[in-house]
Amino acid sequence: MDKIILNQYQSYYDISEKKGAVVDFLVGKINYISKTSANLEIYEEFSHLYEEKSNILQKKLQRIISNRINFTIIPTYLCNMNCEYCYEGDLKRIKKIMDIDYAEAIVKLLKEILKDERNKDIEFNILGGEPIMQRNMKFYDYLFKNIQNLSVSYKLNFITNGLEIKKYIKNLKKYGITTCQITLDGSVETHNKRRIPIDTTINSFERVCESIDCLLENNIYTYVRVNIDEQNINDLPELSEVVISKKWNNFKNFHIYLYPISFSGHNPNKIYLEECEILNKVLSIFKSMPQKNRLFGLDFHGISFIDALRGNETPPLKFVFCDACRNQYVFDALGYIYSCWWGAGRDEFKIGEKFGNEYVLDDNRINKWRNRNITTISNCIKCKFKYICGGGCSYKAILRKGDLFKGNCYSFDKIIESYLRYLNDYQ
């Protein structure tokens, strides 16, 4: 009988009858084990050496100060579609939109933030509602003209349903668009059933395909997101054929990925499959597809860590889960600033407010959010997955547990084991 000793930052995965794997989540390493007997004895031992290594890594991560400023702007909650799982829910009823006065206040705040140090990385994310509509163009014209007058470089990402991209591509290029995220949810029938335009004469699937063509032709990095759940998993083979037939996968600035749906603003009581269950169904379908058709990235927790190790790359390590606990400011048309765009419209996420022609930040609330990390969340402190998790989504921690300083945990072991088994059998 074989004996394997694991420390507090390692997990063993039984990936086949003849093969096992030990993944080290602190050092960042996979050791494959050839099994010499049917049974293994797994022992877990606390290692002070690994705890010392963890403390050193943690101090390094704490010293890293993000130079990136993330301004996420929601110019309107209005939308030209009615998607069945839209996370905004009742917010879509709000008719107010951002005007030039908002643009002036945003630029003024950016100047204040840049006053002491101008060599920061600036990133703008524009979303909605639907951000690419005629009613928002005047606001963008003024906003980005004035930002460009600051002579600072920035990245600009639009998150859009894609209905109006062709119509406004010249505007987007003038604003300096860097990347665009657009959603395609399966076959023509499935996509059009899930993502429904207000104008029922529009074929949503065809319009999105035209928009992807337009973005790629204009050399704009295009992320195509497939919001995956039980309804559209079986569409993956057909959707992969669409990508190949349109030759999108030949573009270096194209990436299509699967994102598991876990929440619906329209129906917050709806129960979705666990992430690991969705992944198992996805991988089962992958097994039936030709290798060249398995072109979807997998935005499931822990997958990017394993992919980095397999590619001999430095795995991404997290001290916090996302920009909500760093330098992120989310502006909406009601005049509030939030820490997180999922939390827009909720008081506990507010970190600032517009008064007159300027924004006033609430330093106490900002400090509270900036203090959420793997050292201040009690169930993260001794968790082996903390450096690839960062404490989990703060929005879901508040939604599910009512406490910002509770971790939102994921089934890392189940997800990673399923993925390693798939890689062993089909890669």
Side-chain angles (χ1 to χ4, degrees):
M1 184 172 288
D2 293 332
K3 181 178 179 180
I4 297 177
I5 299 176
L6 305 177
N7 66 58
Q8 63 270 33
Y9 291 100
Q10 295 175 329
S11 285
Y12 170 80
Y13 301 103
D14 206 24
I15 59 178
S16 75
E17 290 183 1
K18 298 181 179 180
K19 194 175 182 180
V22 174
V23 178
D24 191 310
F25 297 100
L26 178 62
V27 174
K29 189 176 182 180
I30 301 178
N31 286 325
Y32 291 99
I33 298 167
S34 178
K35 293 158 62 176
T36 58
S37 65
N39 299 310
L40 293 174
E41 285 190 0
I42 309 296
Y43 294 91
E44 293 188 5
E45 293 185 357
F46 183 90
S47 169
H48 289 286
L49 174 62
Y50 268 69
E51 204 63 19
E52 289 170 8
K53 289 181 179 180
S54 176
N55 291 334
I56 291 171
L57 175 60
Q58 199 159 275
K59 289 177 182 178
K60 287 182 179 179
L61 291 174
Q62 283 179 295
R63 286 198 297 266
I64 295 174
I65 300 174
S66 175
N67 285 324
R68 182 173 65 189
I69 300 172
N70 185 325
F71 270 27
T72 293
I73 300 172
I74 306 172
T76 179
Y77 289 112
L78 296 171
C79 189
N80 50 12
M81 294 189 77
N82 188 25
C83 302
E84 64 176 25
Y85 50 73
C86 177
Y87 80 92
E88 288 180 345
D90 291 340
L91 289 173
K92 289 175 64 176
R93 298 177 183 177
I94 299 170
K95 298 186 181 300
K96 193 169 184 181
I97 64 173
M98 285 187 171
D99 55 21
I100 290 176
D101 186 54
Y102 278 80
E104 290 177 342
I106 289 171
V107 173
K108 186 174 183 180
L109 179 60
L110 180 61
K111 286 181 179 178
E112 286 296 314
I113 293 174
L114 292 174
K115 187 177 293 183
D116 297 328
E117 187 177 356
R118 297 183 63 85
N119 62 338
K120 289 185 176 290
D121 297 323
I122 305 171
E123 181 176 308
F124 292 95
N125 291 305
I126 315 296
L127 54 121
E130 171 50 37
I132 303 179
M133 296 191 293
Q134 175 62 48
R135 67 191 75 197
N136 300 324
M137 294 301 147
K138 186 176 180 180
F139 165 74
Y140 298 146
D141 286 342
Y142 189 91
L143 175 67
F144 289 108
K145 179 181 178 180
N146 281 273
I147 289 173
Q148 288 164 357
N149 287 340
L150 297 178
S151 298
V152 294
S153 60
Y154 60 86
K155 294 180 180 179
L156 173 60
N157 176 46
F158 276 83
I159 299 173
T160 172
N161 60 36
L163 293 190
E164 301 292 338
I165 284 177
K166 285 185 68 177
K167 185 175 181 180
Y168 295 109
I169 189 64
K170 290 183 179 178
N171 300 67
L172 300 179
K173 294 178 72 173
K174 179 177 68 174
Y175 305 145
I177 184 172
T178 311
T179 63
C180 188
Q181 179 183 299
I182 191 169
T183 301
L184 194 59
D185 260 6
S187 65
V188 176
E189 181 181 357
T190 301
H191 176 92
N192 287 344
K193 181 181 178 181
R194 291 158 65 89
R195 302 184 63 80
I196 308 166
I198 302 299
D199 181 352
T200 56
T201 65
I202 295 175
N203 184 312
S204 173
F205 181 90
E206 292 181 359
R207 185 68 68 85
V208 169
C209 289
E210 291 172 0
S211 295
I212 294 171
D213 287 334
C214 178
L215 290 166
L216 294 174
E217 289 166 3
N218 283 276
N219 200 34
I220 296 168
Y221 204 108
T222 305
Y223 292 93
V224 177
R225 171 162 151 164
V226 184
N227 292 310
I228 199 81
D229 61 15
E230 285 184 284
Q231 290 184 358
N232 64 344
I233 282 180
N234 291 326
D235 282 32
L236 294 180
E238 184 174 347
L239 183 55
S240 70
E241 290 292 350
V242 170
V243 172
I244 292 170
S245 68
K246 293 184 175 295
K247 300 181 179 179
W248 293 335
N249 55 315
N250 293 337
F251 286 84
K252 292 182 179 180
N253 58 337
F254 172 83
H255 178 68
I256 186 168
Y257 69 98
L258 309 182
Y259 180 86
I261 301 177
S262 61
F263 174 77
S264 168
H266 280 327
N267 184 7
N269 296 318
K270 183 174 180 179
I271 298 175
Y272 289 93
L273 285 180
E274 291 291 329
E275 186 176 343
C276 55
E277 294 181 71
I278 290 287
L279 178 63
N280 285 333
K281 289 180 178 292
V282 167
L283 296 179
S284 178
I285 290 172
F286 278 9
K287 294 173 185 178
S288 68
M289 296 166 58
Q291 182 69 39
K292 67 180 179 64
N293 289 55
R294 302 175 202 169
L295 40 73
F296 302 98
L298 298 171
D299 194 0
F300 291 74
H301 292 91
I303 298 296
S304 61
F305 181 82
I306 298 299
D307 283 342
L309 299 188
R310 292 177 63 246
N312 295 317
E313 301 171 358
T314 301
L317 299 177
K318 294 184 176 182
F319 188 63
V320 298
F321 178 75
C322 72
D323 282 349
C325 299
R326 283 192 290 254
N327 298 323
Q328 177 167 271
Y329 304 85
V330 181
F331 304 82
D332 79 344
L334 296 176
Y336 295 109
I337 304 177
Y338 303 91
S339 56
C340 163
W341 69 59
W342 280 78
R346 297 176 61 116
D347 182 72
E348 56 265 56
F349 293 86
K350 292 176 184 175
I351 58 172
E353 186 173 353
K354 184 173 179 290
F355 292 97
N357 65 346
E358 66 179 9
Y359 283 100
V360 177
L361 299 176
D362 187 325
D363 290 334
N364 289 330
R365 289 194 170 207
I366 289 175
N367 290 335
K368 180 179 179 181
W369 277 89
R370 302 298 187 260
N371 195 42
R372 184 186 194 268
N373 58 62
I374 58 174
T375 70
T376 58
I377 303 171
S378 59
N379 51 323
C380 294
I381 294 172
K382 293 187 177 181
C383 177
K384 69 176 70 178
F385 303 116
K386 62 184 176 181
Y387 294 117
I388 65 172
C389 174
C393 175
S394 53
Y395 172 81
K396 292 177 182 177
I398 291 176
L399 184 73
R400 295 169 178 171
K401 301 177 181 179
D403 189 342
L404 177 62
F405 289 91
K406 293 289 186 182
N408 184 62
C409 303
Y410 304 96
S411 301
F412 283 103
D413 270 331
K414 291 181 180 179
I415 291 171
I416 291 171
E417 184 167 62
S418 292
Y419 189 52
L420 288 174
R421 286 179 175 177
Y422 164 76
L423 294 174
N424 182 71
D425 294 340
Y426 293 92
Q427 294 288 299

